[in-house]
Amino acid sequence: MRFLGFAVVSSAIALGACGGGGETTADTAASADTAATAAATTPAATAGAMAPITGTTHEVKMVGDDKGYRFEPADITVKAGDGIKFTMVSGGPHNVAFDPATIPADVKPQLSANMPNQQGELSSPMFMNAGESYTISFANVKPGQYPYNCTPHLAMGMKGTITVQ
Ligand SMILES: [Cu+2]
């Protein structure tokens, strides 16, 4: 029994250490509850934090004119820690929206944390006036290809893909 108890304490400490904190004084309080609490709280604590841009901020324009509605450039590749600043140029209202159905479950929490003032799940506010901008950090967003669009102009083809390396 003594050996089994020690094993439970070790796993609780290991789970806590993943999140940078947790129970490290469990010498006497070895129980399954301790391990369960650490496992339940660690992922939530990590997902809730906005991760600031540490690299390059790329620029994407939101345009609507006699050639149509579009993001310029529509397809863009960023590195870990980069961000994208979307700037309203003409033809609004525009927004920046990810279809939640296309974003993997293990990417959603961090992407959501990195999108301020959401008006719907993974949707930015609407921008009407030239010069307004919206910046999304892709720091801590897992590598992958993420399609996005402008909700009002999705039917007119205003969409693109963000690739995070
Ligand atoms: Cu638009």
Side-chain angles (χ1 to χ4, degrees), residues 12 27 88:
D27 298 273
M88 159 73 193

Side-chain angles (χ1 to χ4, degrees), residues 6 10 16 23-24 26 31 34 47 51-52 57 64 68 76 96 102 111 124-125 128-129 131 142 146 151-152:
F6 179 75
S10 297
E23 191 61 64
T24 55
S31 73
T34 307
T57 300
I76 186 166
V96 180
T102 67
L111 181 58
S124 80
M128 318 280 237
N129 305 309
K142 293 189 176 186
Y146 305 117
T151 305

Side-chain angles (χ1 to χ4, degrees), residues 69 91 93-95 150 152-153 158:
Y69 294 95
H94 301 300
N95 73 350
C150 165
H153 302 123
M158 187 166 174

Side-chain angles (χ1 to χ4, degrees), residues 10-54:
S10 297
S11 69
I13 291 169
L15 285 164
C18 292
E23 191 61 64
T24 55
T25 56
D27 298 273
T28 57
S31 73
D33 286 346
T34 307
T37 302
T41 54
T42 300
T46 303
M50 195 269 189
I53 295 167
T54 55

Side-chain angles (χ1 to χ4, degrees), residues 96-117:
V96 180
F98 297 88
D99 178 348
T102 67
I103 305 299
D106 62 348
V107 170
K108 245 180 230 181
Q110 186 66 60
L111 181 58
S112 183
N114 289 3
M115 291 181 68
N117 305 320

